[in-house]
């Protein structure tokens, strides 16, 4: 299989923003991505706070795709003519969709959007054997990157997390994914209930053994409105969690993985282009129940949220009157700096200062005092041409980002 070399976000060529008689904040528009939300899963995990819903019976694929078609058609005027550089099909569990449903979904996107020939198209999947059997069909439809929710290879800890797969199924799914597409990401979690430092290192070693190009590694946190929040399990203490994080990072560095973002590790040239677009304050059109979107226009930045409940979203979307959008707002200009920093400072190498001006339309005077404060606190590097957290700034990222509120 021919390996696709990713095009980095900094090399994308955004379209020029045009305005007729109105004030324009931006000389160019950012790169545009698509996020498609598939809300169903087999079972809701006790730690999950995503917009996911247990499927009772068969997924209503045709109705969902009809509603997605209507959602797309209503959104098109806001992004008309713009190139789409990446697509992310997330959930829920998108791999519950049949091969024919994913084929129809991809055909729909190609028919309505100007997809780059080299667009990164990621589909999230769980390692159940039945789902993994569809991976090659997904690839034939245009999916070229699979993100697998492994979390851990330890059967005891998988049960504690409420996962529906076991360690053997995880290994089989990775092999199936790698035979279907050239780009595979594995999601892992650490600081799990009952997990030891050695357990966490074993998970990282197991993940490395497959030779995938990208790993997303998260510390388990107890999120509001989850089963774990109501019935908290006993987790490793914070000192042990820090040892796990540092040990995993050191091990991955030995295997040529760069930690380029808070939770993301990649081999050279294998960064997740879709996520990098988020972190560089690019645009993304969110489609499907509960999907969030950010779209820049010449005169400002608009955020949208779709209705969360799948049935409500399908009903409203098919009405084609805009009622499928639960929230729509113009971002206040005074919030541009904080929203930019909330994303960009997650990148280990930061971003050029010039990108801040391009993506926000602000001027140096708008943030000069806050930059000075961040540097005085040793949270931001002294390089005047970059916005980059120091080691201390990365460790206390919330404190650094809050300076720009």
């Amino acid at each position: 299989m021919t390996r696709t070399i990713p095009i980095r976000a900094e090399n994308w060529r955004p379209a020029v923003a045009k305005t007729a008689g109105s004030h324009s904040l931006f000389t160019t528009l950012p790169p545009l991505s698509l996020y498609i939300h598939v809300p169903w899963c087999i079972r809701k995990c006790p730690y999950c706070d995503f917009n996911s819903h247990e499927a009772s019976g068969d997924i209503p694929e045709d109705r969902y795709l009809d509603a997605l078609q209507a959602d797309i058609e209503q959104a098109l005027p806001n992004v008309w003519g713009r190139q789409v550089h990446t697509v992310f099909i997330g959930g829920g569990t998108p791999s519950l969709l049949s091969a024919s449903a994913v084929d129809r979904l991809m055909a729909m996107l190609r028919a309505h959007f100007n997809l780059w020939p080299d667009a990164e198209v990621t589909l999230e999947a769980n390692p159940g054997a039945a789902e993994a059997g569809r991976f090659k069909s997904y690839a034939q439809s245009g999916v070229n990157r699979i993100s697998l929710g492994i979390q851990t290879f330890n059967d005891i800890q998988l049960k504690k997390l409420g996962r529906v797969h076991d360690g053997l199924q995880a290994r089989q799914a990775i092999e199936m994914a790698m035979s279907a597409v050239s780009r595979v990401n594995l999601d892992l979690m650490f600081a799990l209930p009952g997990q030891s430092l050695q357990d966490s290192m074993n998970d990282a070693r197991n993940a490395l053994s497959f030779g995938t190009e990208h790993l997303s590694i998260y510390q388990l946190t107890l999120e509001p409105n989850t089963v774990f929040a109501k019935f908290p399990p006993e987790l490793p203490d914070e000192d042990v969690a820090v040892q796990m994080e540092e040990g995993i990072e050191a091990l991955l560095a030995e295997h040529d993985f760069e930690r380029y973002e808070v939770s993301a590790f990649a081999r050279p040239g294998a960064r997740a282009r879709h996520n990098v677009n988020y972190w560089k304050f690019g645009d993304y059109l969110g489609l499907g129940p509960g999907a969030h979107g950010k779209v820049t226009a010449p005169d400002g930045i608009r955020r949208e949220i779709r209705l969360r409940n799948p049935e409500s979203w399908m009903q409203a979307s098919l009405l084609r009157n805009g009622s499928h959008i639960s929230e729509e707002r113009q971002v206040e200009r005074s919030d541009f700096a904080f929203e930019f920093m909330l994303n960009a400072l997650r990148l280990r190498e930061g971003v050029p200062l010039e990108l801040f001006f391009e993506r926000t339309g602000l001027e140096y005077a708008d943030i000069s005092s806050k930059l000075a404060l961040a540097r005085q606190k040793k949270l931001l590097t002294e390089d005047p041409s970059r916005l980059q957290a120091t080691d201390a700034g990365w460790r206390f990222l919330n404190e650094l980002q809050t300076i720009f509120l």
Side-chain angles (χ1 to χ4, degrees):
M1 182 178 292
T2 302
R3 186 175 180 82
T4 301
I5 300 175
I7 298 174
R8 299 183 178 228
E10 56 263 37
N11 292 330
W12 292 346
R13 298 176 181 175
V16 174
K18 296 181 180 179
T19 179
S22 61
H23 175 65
S24 176
L25 292 173
F26 307 99
T27 57
T28 61
L29 297 179
L32 177 66
S33 296
L34 299 181
Y35 174 77
I36 316 295
H37 193 73
V38 181
W40 296 282
C41 55
I42 294 175
R43 185 170 67 210
K44 182 83 169 179
C45 296
Y47 59 85
C48 178
D49 67 338
F50 294 162
N51 185 34
S52 57
H53 304 260
E54 290 188 15
S56 55
D58 294 335
I59 291 173
E61 289 185 336
D62 289 338
R63 190 152 180 262
Y64 167 77
L65 290 170
D66 289 344
L68 186 64
Q69 168 92 14
D71 194 348
I72 289 171
E73 291 174 357
Q74 292 169 86
L76 273 177
N78 295 324
V79 295
W80 190 256
R82 294 178 62 178
Q83 287 187 318
V84 171
H85 303 271
T86 69
V87 177
F88 196 99
I89 305 168
T93 307
S95 54
L96 290 178
L97 293 176
S98 66
S100 61
V102 171
D103 191 57
R104 181 183 165 192
L105 189 158
M106 291 302 303
M108 192 185 303
L109 298 183
R110 284 191 290 268
H112 289 87
F113 296 102
N114 183 14
L115 284 182
W116 259 27
D118 191 34
E120 176 189 271
V121 181
T122 302
L123 182 138
E124 282 188 327
N126 276 346
E131 302 164 49
R134 301 177 178 139
F135 289 170
K136 287 192 175 180
S137 296
Y138 294 162
Q140 291 169 358
S141 298
V143 172
N144 54 32
R145 185 174 182 271
I146 290 175
S147 181
L148 279 170
I150 303 296
Q151 314 315 348
T152 175
F153 294 91
N154 185 299
D155 286 344
I156 294 174
Q157 284 150 13
L158 283 168
K159 287 182 180 178
K160 289 179 179 178
L161 291 176
R163 303 295 288 174
V164 297
H165 68 275
D166 58 26
L168 176 59
Q169 288 176 315
R171 293 174 175 86
Q172 291 172 337
I174 296 170
E175 291 172 352
M176 290 182 187
M178 294 187 70
S179 69
V181 297
S182 60
R183 305 190 61 201
V184 176
N185 168 67
L186 306 181
D187 279 354
L188 294 179
M189 300 175 74
F190 67 93
L192 306 178
Q195 188 179 46
S196 68
L197 175 59
Q198 188 58 47
D199 289 337
S200 69
M201 297 301 293
N202 286 341
D203 276 340
R205 291 189 187 96
N206 278 324
L208 285 168
S209 70
F210 292 93
T212 61
E213 64 166 23
H214 196 282
L215 296 172
S216 299
I217 301 182
Y218 308 93
Q219 180 176 347
L220 175 62
T221 55
L222 306 184
E223 301 294 342
N225 303 314
T226 63
V227 173
F228 273 2
K230 188 174 182 181
F231 305 103
E234 186 174 348
L235 302 180
D237 65 39
E238 192 59 33
D239 288 341
V240 174
V242 169
Q243 291 175 25
M244 291 177 176
E245 181 178 6
E246 292 176 346
I248 291 169
E249 182 175 9
L251 176 65
L252 296 187
E254 292 173 7
H255 289 78
D256 207 24
F257 273 84
E258 173 196 16
R259 186 179 189 178
Y260 68 97
E261 189 268 343
V262 172
S263 303
F265 298 76
R267 297 187 190 277
R271 296 181 180 190
R273 289 159 49 190
H274 184 86
N275 289 348
V276 168
N277 192 38
Y278 287 156
W279 298 321
K280 292 193 171 182
F281 211 49
D283 280 355
Y284 50 98
L285 181 61
L287 302 162
H292 290 231
K294 165 193 172 277
V295 177
T296 303
D299 60 347
I301 297 172
R302 189 185 66 259
R303 290 196 177 275
E304 292 180 345
I305 304 175
R306 265 63 175 163
L307 292 171
R308 287 178 57 86
N309 180 272
E311 180 60 32
S312 299
W313 168 79
M314 288 189 289
Q315 289 181 7
S317 184
L318 290 167
L319 290 175
R320 299 175 185 268
N321 61 6
S323 59
H324 64 301
I325 297 177
S326 62
E327 182 180 334
E328 183 176 9
R329 65 180 177 88
Q330 286 290 119
V331 179
E332 295 291 335
R333 194 168 184 269
S334 58
D335 292 333
F336 285 3
F338 174 66
E339 292 207 7
F340 181 93
M341 299 299 179
L342 201 61
N343 292 278
L345 292 176
R346 291 178 62 93
L347 290 168
R348 193 67 187 94
E349 65 190 20
V351 296
L353 181 62
E354 190 60 35
L355 187 71
F356 172 82
F357 302 137
E358 178 186 313
R359 298 285 160 88
T360 65
L362 298 176
E363 298 178 355
Y364 186 78
D366 293 313
I367 58 166
S368 58
S369 62
K370 295 176 179 181
L371 291 176
L373 177 60
R375 288 178 175 134
Q376 179 186 340
K377 289 175 174 278
K378 307 297 184 185
L379 300 176
L380 206 63
T381 66
E382 295 292 338
D383 186 345
S385 66
R386 292 195 72 77
L387 298 168
Q388 181 182 16
T390 61
D391 290 342
W394 227 38
R395 184 179 298 273
F396 302 103
L397 189 56
N398 286 346
E399 180 182 348
L400 171 56
Q401 292 164 332
T402 302
I403 289 174
F404 296 91
L405 266 174

